[in-house]
Structures are given as structure tokens and as C-alpha cells.
Amino acid sequence: MANRKRNTKPKGRINRPEVSDSPKPSSSPDTPDLSPLQWTPYARAIATVLILVYLFVVLIGPLANPIASKYFSGPIARQLAPLHRILFLGHGYRFFGPDPGPTHRLVFRGVKKDGSKFEGFFPDRRNQNPRLLYHRWFMLSETLFVEHANQANSNFLKNRQVEYEQQAARLASENRTNQLRQLKLDRQLELRYYQRASERTDFLANSVARVLLDSHQATSIELFSQERSIPFPEEVADGLKLNSEQLLLPPIKIGELDTHGYRAANLADPNTLRGSK
Amino acid sequence: MKTPSESTVAQPTSGATFFHSWTNGWNQFWFQLEAPNALGAMRILVGLLVLYTHFTWGLQFSTFLGVDGLLPLEYRALLFESPFAWSHFDWFQNNQLLMTIHILGLIIVSMFTLGLWTNWTAVLTTLLVISYANRATGTLFGLDQISSFLCMYLAIGNCGGAYSIDQWIAKRRGAGQGRSCTRNRIAIRLIQIHMCVVYFFAATGKLQGTTWFNGEAVWGALASYEYQSVDMSWISNHMWLVAILTLGTLAWELAYPALIWLKLTRPIMLLFAVPIHLGIGICMGMLSFGLVMLAGNLAFVDSRWINKLFQLSDESKVHLKDGS
């Protein structure tokens, strides 16, 4: 009742009430806070609209990332992307979801200027301290793994091209022009996706290789992504250490850098380099 | 059992009454006055974490963020394909200049943490956090996501209104304590709602997995050597405990967005937040992430409790001085 009475006060620019020095009860809907309202109804109306729009922007982020609805959150998230980028919002917040998975480290092997060979990996808890710095290296190795895995190998791309051509020929023969147009658009998007994934991996891997090459005063360096699987509890109970070599899968080559520049590994056959015969 | 006549009496009298009760509720929720105490406490904790983050970047600044560092600008450009993913690193292509800005940034974040010229340093700290986050794509994790929005909301509120140098100066001038104001309320509400959004999607993301249901997810996290900072392998002999921790975490995250709003259950939700976040922080080497999540949870702690806590620490200082 008292609240409604307050709201019917004559409208001024801003009502500045006397405020006691002691803290007001904290924001909780269950403990009605009966302090007077400071803002005019007009100011509150504008703030309400801004708050609602902002909360929608916040909510669309995790609704569209990592999985988006093609008909709702996806298109809206694309429109709101500038706001998400400006304010660094739009994250998925799926911490350790859907399942805690295996981790990945980046292994590098190279040859120094004096001809000696060297090998290393990151993240490396012995040499990367404090822990937050170690975690940055860890996230970088995970990003390299994810970006490398996002690429499509040449065999996959060839198969997809064959599938696309067959589908396009069928739609053309059936005179289904709308579906054919959509198919072409989807195909363009798909090719662009894989091309971008490949470019991103190459840029990132090239930079990482160059920094490692310089820091080790090397002439050539190879990068590999190596997965560490999660042990079964029974294995650990039987004495297996978490840092055991047994848990490491064979490293997968990402690429190499030498005096000729950076060359990515062939995804279909990691023992060869992309573009090599 | 109500008789039909009683039911009729209990019905809302009109749409206008319903509308008024809604607007009153809305006004109470968003626009009541709020003391700056919770925001002041959060400012100190978030400020320290941002300071630590920036200090850590400084240890390998040119390696990570330099012009020829590990993270090429082209990578971000291709990933975002947007000019809106702004960063001051795009505007200056000189390592010395970037390092100078970094040092200036450390000074600004220190001032923010101490609460000096807080209205300005809060905004500048927010811009710095976002700028670094937009630049360091590929090395980020939850800490950066949470600290950026917490800084932004602290800048909306008057986070320098308590436990700050600004406040100390104001007191010396006889201005009294930081005033309660509406923007504090809005800032607190935005933090509260954003924290609920984070927990809601963290929980629903886990529902898509199998190990959060079969009770093994916590084992998957603890048995990961790259994350491990405390050897918890002894827990492999106590998988019942792993199952309880897994299902308990899932239940807590699922319940948080609803039960944190109820007076009866809020202390319980906050009580569980401490071991869960500190546990992840200590055992999995992400103490900074654990602490920033706890900083966000401070938005649900009553300002009067926070004030009492700070008064207690003041009293204990006086006792120490007195030798009592």
C-alpha cells in the first residue's frame, strides 16, 4: 500500500530522498524494501526497456552457442553479434559440459642452428608459472587441437563434392529450382566454413611455430597435437599415474616451419604435407 | 475447501490492480535504493583478480600479445569476421607502445581495486578487460568471461561507494558514507541475473552428457593431468564419493537459478557455492576462476552482512592496536 502511495507522488525531475548512512537490506525479492524510489516514472520506463533489451542480448548468447536454432536463436544471434563482440558477451557457459573430455598438449620437435635436435611440449607445468600463465598455454594447446580437428581432409571434401553433384543433378532433373538454389547456398557455406577453418589453423599454427622456432634458435620445427586420455578409476587404483605415458595417444602432425616457410600437414595422411605429392 | 462465493471474493478485483501490483513488484526489484557495500566488496575481489590476470599477461606479454606473438591478429579476424570485436591491440602495432599501455592498465586496475576515482577507473578497467579478452582469443577461459561482465556491472553501479579511497576522502570532507542509489540496485540485479544465466546453461549443458548422470564426471575432471593441481587420485578408491560430488554439483547448478531467490534456500545455495568453486579452483588449478565465481555470488549476500564483516575486521585491527 505504502509503495503505491509513493508512486503517485508528483512528478519531478529526480526525487532525492534523505538516505541513511546504514546499508539498506540487500536486493532480495522476498524481503520487501520500502525505501523511496529515486527515479521518476519516465526514467524508470526508459531503464525498463533498456534492461529488457539487454537481458535478451545476454540470453541469446548461450542460447545460440554452441548449438543454435536455425529458425530462432541462430538468426537473432547473428544480428546481435556486434553487441556481443563489443561487450564480450555471447558465450555458451557450458563449463565441463556435456562431459569432461580428454585434454591435449602441443608437442614440438625441431633442429637448432648448431644441428642439435630438441623436443618439448606445452602446457608445461614445470616451466610455465604462475598457474594462470600455465592455463593460458593449456588453452592455446586446446584451441590448436580444436581448430585442427575442425578442418576437413581432402578425401572427405571429395566425397562431399560427389554427394553434392549427385543431389544437384537430381534436383535439376526434377525441376526443383528452389531446393537447388538452397543446396548451392548450403554448399557454398560449407566450403567457406572448411576453408576458413583451414586458414585459421594455418595462421595460428604458423605463429606458434615461429615463436617456438625463435625462442629455441632453431632452423626447423614440427608441431603435433597429442591427446591424453582419461584413465579408468580401476587403473589408477592399481597404481597408474595420471602423467603416465600409457595415457598419451600417438601425436598427430599439425604442420612444420623451416626456411621455406610454414606448411600444414596433409589431413588425410599426416605424414605428408599439404600440397606435397 | 472454499465455497464458490469465497472463491469469487478472492479473485483479483480488476486488471488495473493486477497491473499495479506488477509495476510495484518491478519497481521494488529494479529501482529501489541499494547500499554500495556488496558492490564495494566485489570491486576489491574482482579488481584483485583482474590485476593478477594483467600482471600474468605482463610476464610473457610480447610472447602472447606482441605484434609477432603467438596469437596472430589474422586469426581473430577470421574467427570473428566482425569489426566489432575491438581491441586496442588492433590500433597500435608497436610492442613498446603496447607495453606502455599495459603498464598504464596495471595502474588503472590498481586504482579501481583501491577505489580511487572509481567512476572512471571502473569504466576503464571494463574496457581493458574486454580489449584484452578480444585480443587473446584462443587462450581464454571462464575467468575472462565472468570478470568482463562483473567489471561492466560494477561500472554501472557506484562500486566506489564503500570500502574505497574515494569513500575515505569523502568521509574526511564530512560527506558521510556512500549513498544508497538506484544504479547500485540495477548493477546488483544484473549481476544476480547474469550469474543465474551462467549456472542455468552450465547445468543444462551437463544434462547433454552421460558422465554427469552415471556419476563419473568429477572423476573425468580430477583425473585429467593437465588440469590437476592437487593429486586427487586417491579418490579412485572411493567412487561413491565421486558419484555424490558429481550428482551434487549437477543438482546444485540446476537448482541455483531458482533457489537462490528464496530467503529460506539462499544461504544453502551460497554455502555450497564456496566448496564447489574453491574445490574446482584448488584441485584443478583454476583458483582465479573459482574466486571470480564466488565474487559474482557476493551479489546475493546481504549488504548488512558484508558491512558487519568489514566492521569486524576494523574492530579486530583496533583490538590488535590496543594489544587486546
Side-chain angles (χ1 to χ4, degrees):
Chain A
M1 251 338 236
N3 224 5
R4 203 185 313 160
K5 206 174 178 181
R6 273 198 310 276
N7 289 342
T8 55
K9 270 185 176 178
K11 292 173 191 174
R13 274 183 63 76
I14 285 184
N15 306 323
R16 291 204 182 277
E18 282 300 310
V19 180
S20 73
D21 281 357
S22 60
K24 291 271 177 284
S26 209
S27 320
S28 54
D30 44 78
T31 51
D33 187 350
L34 300 176
S35 60
L37 296 173
Q38 204 177 30
W39 289 5
T40 62
Y42 186 64
R44 293 202 302 270
I46 292 171
T48 295
V49 172
L50 290 174
I51 286 167
L52 289 174
V53 169
Y54 175 76
L55 290 180
F56 183 71
V57 170
V58 167
L59 209 58
I60 281 295
L63 273 176
N65 182 15
I67 305 161
S69 157
K70 192 177 169 181
Y71 308 101
F72 177 67
S73 53
I76 295 172
R78 274 194 291 280
Q79 296 301 316
L80 295 178
L83 267 176
H84 283 159
R85 300 276 174 259
I86 289 169
L87 300 174
F88 192 61
L89 295 169
H91 311 290
Y93 305 127
R94 308 304 205 273
F95 306 126
F96 291 102
D99 289 302
T103 51
H104 304 86
R105 64 181 194 171
L106 189 110
V107 177
F108 51 91
R109 293 172 192 152
V111 180
K112 290 189 178 182
K113 283 175 184 167
D114 62 7
S116 61
K117 290 185 176 176
F118 69 97
E119 190 172 337
F121 61 86
F122 68 78
D124 180 359
R125 62 176 68 184
R126 288 167 305 174
N127 299 317
Q128 287 154 355
N129 288 301
R131 183 72 188 198
L132 181 56
L133 192 67
Y134 165 88
H135 215 79
R136 299 291 184 200
W137 284 99
F138 178 25
M139 291 299 106
L140 180 60
S141 68
E142 286 293 336
T143 303
L144 272 162
F145 164 75
V146 170
E147 290 290 13
H148 185 64
N150 272 340
Q151 299 174 99
N153 72 47
S154 52
N155 291 343
F156 172 82
L157 288 175
K158 273 179 205 164
N159 290 340
R160 288 289 298 145
Q161 182 63 25
V162 171
E163 276 175 33
Y164 162 72
E165 283 167 7
Q166 285 171 349
Q167 231 175 333
R170 184 171 55 81
L171 290 174
S173 68
E174 292 169 6
N175 232 1
R176 290 157 70 179
T177 46
N178 283 342
Q179 282 100 324
L180 185 61
R181 197 181 306 123
Q182 188 59 46
L183 183 73
K184 281 179 182 171
L185 283 172
D186 288 348
R187 178 64 183 158
Q188 280 171 7
L189 281 177
E190 188 184 0
L191 286 174
R192 190 164 176 270
Y193 172 84
Y194 288 123
Q195 191 195 339
R196 287 291 162 118
S198 193
E199 286 171 2
R200 283 201 309 270
T201 312
D202 290 353
F203 270 122
L204 192 57
N206 186 7
S207 284
V208 171
R210 186 174 29 72
V211 169
L212 291 171
L213 193 89
D214 291 345
S215 64
H216 287 85
Q217 297 188 326
T219 53
S220 68
I221 195 161
E222 295 174 300
L223 301 185
F224 303 85
S225 183
Q226 188 169 37
E227 183 168 306
R228 188 193 300 278
S229 51
I230 296 170
F232 290 106
E234 295 80 8
E235 291 177 308
V236 175
D238 287 345
L240 181 74
K241 296 287 177 198
L242 297 184
N243 61 348
S244 168
E245 298 277 319
Q246 285 180 46
L247 297 171
L248 292 171
L249 301 186
I252 298 166
K253 190 167 180 174
I254 295 175
E256 66 179 49
L257 179 69
D258 57 19
T259 48
H260 303 294
Y262 177 79
R263 283 158 299 161
N266 191 337
L267 294 163
D269 179 9
N271 292 320
T272 62
L273 295 171
R274 204 182 298 160
S276 306
K277 301 240 171 147
Chain B
M1 280 291 277
K2 284 177 181 176
T3 61
S5 58
E6 281 171 337
S7 299
T8 314
V9 171
Q11 296 266 331
T13 51
S14 69
T17 312
F18 181 74
F19 177 76
H20 274 297
S21 70
W22 261 90
T23 48
N24 281 343
W26 180 264
N27 285 336
Q28 268 185 29
F29 187 84
W30 285 103
F31 303 118
Q32 288 291 337
L33 304 183
E34 178 82 23
N37 300 61
L39 292 175
M42 289 170 76
R43 187 201 74 244
I44 294 171
L45 188 51
V46 174
L48 285 172
L49 288 165
V50 173
L51 197 61
Y52 172 57
T53 309
H54 272 61
F55 170 77
T56 310
W57 279 130
L59 296 176
Q60 291 193 332
F61 187 78
S62 53
T63 305
F64 273 100
L65 307 171
V67 175
D68 293 317
L70 290 163
L71 305 168
L73 292 172
E74 295 90 341
Y75 173 71
R76 294 180 41 230
L78 282 168
L79 189 68
F80 294 129
E81 296 182 322
S82 163
F84 297 100
W86 68 277
S87 172
H88 71 272
F89 288 88
D90 290 328
W91 310 329
F92 308 108
Q93 301 291 318
N94 178 304
N95 278 346
Q96 279 184 328
L97 186 58
L98 288 171
M99 192 63 195
T100 308
I101 295 169
H102 182 73
I103 292 165
L104 277 174
L106 281 170
I107 294 168
I108 289 167
V109 178
S110 303
M111 288 162 73
F112 166 70
T113 309
L114 294 168
L116 179 61
W117 302 330
T118 323
N119 281 339
W120 290 103
T121 52
V123 173
L124 290 172
T125 300
T126 306
L127 294 175
L128 272 171
V129 170
I130 294 174
S131 181
Y132 273 71
N134 273 335
R135 171 67 182 93
T137 306
T139 60
L140 305 177
F141 63 110
L143 167 70
D144 308 282
Q145 299 170 8
I146 309 297
S147 60
S148 62
F149 76 67
L150 287 182
C151 283
M152 186 163 67
Y153 300 143
L154 288 173
I156 288 172
N158 176 25
C159 65
Y163 323 125
S164 64
I165 292 178
D166 285 344
Q167 198 49 39
W168 179 74
I169 293 169
K171 265 186 192 171
R172 280 176 67 95
R173 289 176 182 162
Q177 278 194 359
R179 280 175 172 268
S180 297
C181 65
T182 307
R183 65 188 182 109
N184 287 349
R185 178 73 148 207
I186 293 173
I188 286 280
R189 289 302 190 201
L190 288 173
I191 296 171
Q192 290 174 335
I193 292 173
H194 209 137
M195 289 304 288
C196 287
V197 169
V198 169
Y199 284 120
F200 176 79
F201 285 98
T204 50
K206 290 176 176 72
L207 293 178
Q208 294 172 313
T210 51
T211 56
W212 287 99
F213 284 99
N214 70 15
E216 290 176 3
V218 167
W219 169 254
L222 292 175
S224 167
Y225 179 70
E226 266 69 31
Y227 277 111
Q228 182 205 53
S229 51
V230 171
D231 187 1
M232 295 289 289
S233 49
W234 57 268
I235 213 167
S236 60
N237 285 311
H238 308 281
M239 286 304 284
W240 59 270
L241 182 58
V242 171
I244 289 172
L245 290 173
T246 303
L247 296 171
T249 305
L250 181 63
W252 176 78
E253 280 192 351
L254 270 175
Y256 187 99
L259 299 188
I260 196 70
W261 298 99
L262 306 177
K263 191 178 183 180
L264 190 69
T265 47
R266 184 181 309 137
I268 300 165
M269 301 314 286
L270 290 173
L271 202 67
F272 276 103
V274 177
I276 286 175
H277 287 305
L278 286 185
I280 292 170
I282 292 167
C283 297
M284 300 178 65
M286 292 190 289
L287 194 56
S288 47
F289 175 62
L291 288 175
V292 86
M293 291 299 283
L294 288 177
N297 273 281
L298 272 179
F300 285 103
V301 178
D302 196 305
S303 281
R304 289 169 299 188
W305 291 12
I306 292 170
N307 206 37
K308 270 182 193 167
L309 198 72
F310 274 82
Q311 279 173 350
L312 274 179
S313 66
D314 280 352
E315 280 168 20
S316 64
K317 274 182 207 162
V318 173
H319 286 310
L320 283 172
K321 276 184 188 170
D322 294 347
S324 53

